[in-house]
Amino acid sequence: METDFIRWLRDRLPPHPSLQVGLGDDAAILRLADRADTVVTTDLLTDGVDFRLAEIDPRRAGRKALAVNLSDLAAMAARPVAVVVSLALPQQGCIELAQQLYEGLLPLAQEYDVAVAGGDTNTWHGPLAISITAIGETTRRGPLRREGASSGDVLVVTGQFGGSILGKHLDFRPRVAEALLLNDRYELHAGIDVSDGLSLDLARLVAESGCGAEIDPDAVPVAPAAQELANDPRGNKSPLDHALGDGEDFELILAVPPAEASRLLSDQPLDVPVTRIGRCTAEPGLWTRDPQGNRQTLPPTGWEHVFDR
Amino acid sequence: METDFIRWLRDRLPPHPSLQVGLGDDAAILRLADRADTVVTTDLLTDGVDFRLAEIDPRRAGRKALAVNLSDLAAMAARPVAVVVSLALPQQGCIELAQQLYEGLLPLAQEYDVAVAGGDTNTWHGPLAISITAIGETTRRGPLRREGASSGDVLVVTGQFGGSILGKHLDFRPRVAEALLLNDRYELHAGIDVSDGLSLDLARLVAESGCGAEIDPDAVPVAPAAQELANDPRGNKSPLDHALGDGEDFELILAVPPAEASRLLSDQPLDVPVTRIGRCTAEPGLWTRDPQGNRQTLPPTGWEHVFDR
């Protein structure tokens, strides 16, 4: 019964300074920092699309459902405060599954200091769907937006790209602390997290900013997993293709004014490398330009949510 | 493609004074009123449980998914500000379905002055699931909680109960304006909305408040739809049984100190009737007590989310 499950869950939720009212009322109440704005993002993950429950420990699915939301808050340079978690569970074994999902997401919530403020737990005749909404707060530096990049800005990224399907798409670390630190210490013009593909998400950032971008293909940090996929004789993509289009890297792309970028790249203030991959152009569009100056159109690749296929 | 759908949706979203950043970034940004706390609630509705898509216009499902969330904010006496909407859509005809769902919820959002701040639109191999998270703000009178009722408080309800399956469960009006007005003008001790059943939700309110309740069965406002269901020879429930246990009435139960209750009942400040149905007792539990003083235990009935059935 839902009541027993809620009791089980309540026992596992630590108190949180921002949580005035948590589980057990009609809604949760959060007290955010003075003058902070409320930042809201939501992601719905489904069995067969975002993970395959037949192949993985459900804890990893629960963890991923929270992590992708935290990555969206990171992309806004917002401090995570709380999440609400809705589950549509297949009826058979639903209590065990619900507990496993929470056993996956609760440690991440605690690590990132996020309250689980409420949710809605249901069973039905369909497969598993997990919907999480994350609430964050802006910091004194304000939010980081997709818009705001301008011609001449340097494009930098955290971490490496490609091949996340081999494991990182489930176990990645959302770049929350990294985004908060960078937004606090450096002037950032725009940012986005890479959920659908480095080139596709970069195209979205520059489109919202009304500019374009050139990237140096040799500078893109390619993950070993991208190399591994490229080695598979059944595929026909290069490691760079994988890095540019695989998606679910959940790294950050940032547009940074040149002097700030030099300082940031020289400081390397994060545990993860920050790499210059290119620059923003006045002309809208996306190109590669190698160190020899050869310039080619770069068609954005990545995961597009295709309807009616 | 999701991009086209988002464009379609963006064109239908009016500006909202609290919405700093809406669709088109990694998260939405809301600016709430000074000193307001953030109130968050979420409900996930699924085909076959909360509605039957084969039998109804999808617009009514979309409307209901928003309305149940607004009802939860009403139960907290919170002012609705914004919602995020996540959809898991069956692949066939998914664009048309998504548009119909929004065509159902957008007019209600506009009527209740709620911004659609974002969402996540997906297709998959499962049936339709709709997850909505609503964000509200507390008013100067603070939130209304389930806890706070005490012995001697008068129990009042808005509207009528029972038989909502005949139509009200889809087309009800969330009691948002009613809750805000009552919380502003009267001293209310506790409140809840009736989603699962009048007796079951009343049991929850008194349990959270650490008291009990006696209700006068003759005083319960029974809806004509409850009478209609009771007339069905295939059923074996009285109109009162339906009123006490059907659920999805989405009316309010309020615990009000006696003098305030007298004033409220005499004022009748709402368009919908407010009715005294009983009072809170020091002893935990639920009873009926008729005007002749006959007292009987009342087992709470209503919709329990049963796992592993």
Side-chain angles (χ1 to χ4, degrees), chain B:
Chain B
M1 308 239 303
E2 196 184 17
T3 315
D4 298 328
F5 174 72
I6 289 174
R7 196 169 304 125
W8 177 89
L9 183 56
R10 264 185 167 181
D11 288 346
R12 277 154 187 81
L13 298 182
H16 189 281
S18 302
L19 193 61
Q20 304 286 304
V21 175
L23 256 67
D25 215 310
D26 292 291
I29 302 183
L30 312 174
R31 179 154 297 168
L32 304 191
D34 270 359
R35 287 181 297 280
D37 284 330
T38 305
V39 184
V40 187
T41 185
T42 191
D43 274 298
L44 188 153
L45 278 67
T46 56
D47 186 11
V49 177
D50 300 284
F51 50 81
R52 292 181 193 282
L53 214 49
E55 296 170 12
I56 62 161
D57 184 334
R59 292 171 186 84
R60 297 174 83 191
R63 184 192 183 280
K64 178 176 184 177
L66 175 57
V68 297
N69 276 283
L70 296 180
S71 185
D72 280 324
L73 291 183
M76 304 295 285
R79 185 180 295 115
V81 174
V83 293
V84 290
V85 179
S86 286
L87 302 177
L89 300 158
Q91 276 160 16
Q92 195 174 8
C94 60
I95 291 187
E96 193 189 354
L97 177 56
Q99 291 180 343
Q100 289 170 332
L101 294 169
Y102 271 100
E103 285 167 1
L105 73 85
L106 287 175
L108 191 68
Q110 188 144 16
E111 188 185 349
Y112 280 71
D113 199 19
V114 179
V116 174
D120 187 22
T121 307
N122 308 274
T123 61
W124 72 327
H125 65 297
L128 174 65
I130 313 173
S131 174
I132 294 188
T133 299
I135 315 286
E137 60 187 10
T138 54
T139 68
R140 66 180 181 89
R141 292 296 291 260
L144 186 63
R145 303 282 313 278
R146 290 186 184 179
E147 66 179 48
S150 58
S151 175
D153 280 355
V154 172
L155 292 164
V156 304
V157 295
T158 60
Q160 297 177 319
F161 294 83
S164 74
I165 193 68
L166 297 183
K168 187 182 180 186
H169 80 108
L170 293 169
D171 302 321
F172 68 96
R173 295 191 53 74
R175 298 301 185 192
V176 172
E178 292 80 358
L180 289 172
L181 184 150
L182 295 179
N183 194 44
D184 190 60
R185 292 202 202 158
Y186 304 90
E187 183 192 352
L188 310 178
H189 278 174
I192 193 171
D193 70 321
V194 177
S195 49
D196 293 337
L198 175 56
S199 57
L200 183 56
D201 287 314
L202 176 58
R204 288 170 178 157
L205 183 148
V206 296
E208 288 292 328
S209 292
C211 63
E214 285 178 355
I215 67 171
D216 174 0
D218 296 339
V220 172
V222 177
Q227 182 71 56
E228 193 178 330
L229 281 187
N231 289 344
D232 187 324
R234 291 165 298 180
N236 59 358
K237 289 181 179 174
S238 71
L240 181 63
D241 292 338
H242 283 290
L244 290 173
D246 280 357
E248 298 216 298
D249 307 292
F250 299 105
E251 299 290 352
L252 300 170
I253 311 174
L254 302 169
V256 191
E260 284 293 273
S262 300
R263 191 162 69 89
L264 195 168
L265 290 162
S266 135
D267 288 352
Q268 288 293 333
L270 306 181
D271 290 338
V272 63
V274 181
T275 309
R276 181 193 198 284
I277 61 161
R279 63 180 195 90
C280 294
T281 59
E283 187 183 356
L286 211 57
W287 296 271
T288 55
R289 181 192 287 268
D290 63 24
Q292 291 73 45
N294 301 308
R295 190 176 191 250
Q296 281 193 305
T297 297
L298 174 64
T301 53
W303 167 255
E304 295 245 28
H305 303 259
V306 180
F307 282 1
D308 257 328
R309 57 188 160 186

Side-chain angles (χ1 to χ4, degrees), chain A residues 8-24:
Chain A
W8 176 89
L9 183 56
R10 264 186 168 181
D11 288 345
R12 277 154 188 80
L13 297 181
H16 189 282
S18 302
L19 192 62
Q20 305 285 304
V21 175
L23 257 68

Side-chain angles (χ1 to χ4, degrees), chain A residues 209-233:
Chain A
S209 292
C211 63
E214 284 177 356
I215 67 172
D216 174 359
D218 297 338
V220 172
V222 177
Q227 183 70 56
E228 192 178 330
L229 281 186
N231 289 343
D232 188 324

Side-chain angles (χ1 to χ4, degrees), chain A residues 259-275:
Chain A
E260 284 291 275
S262 300
R263 191 163 68 89
L264 195 169
L265 290 162
S266 140
D267 290 351
Q268 287 294 333
L270 306 181
D271 290 338
V272 62
V274 181
T275 309

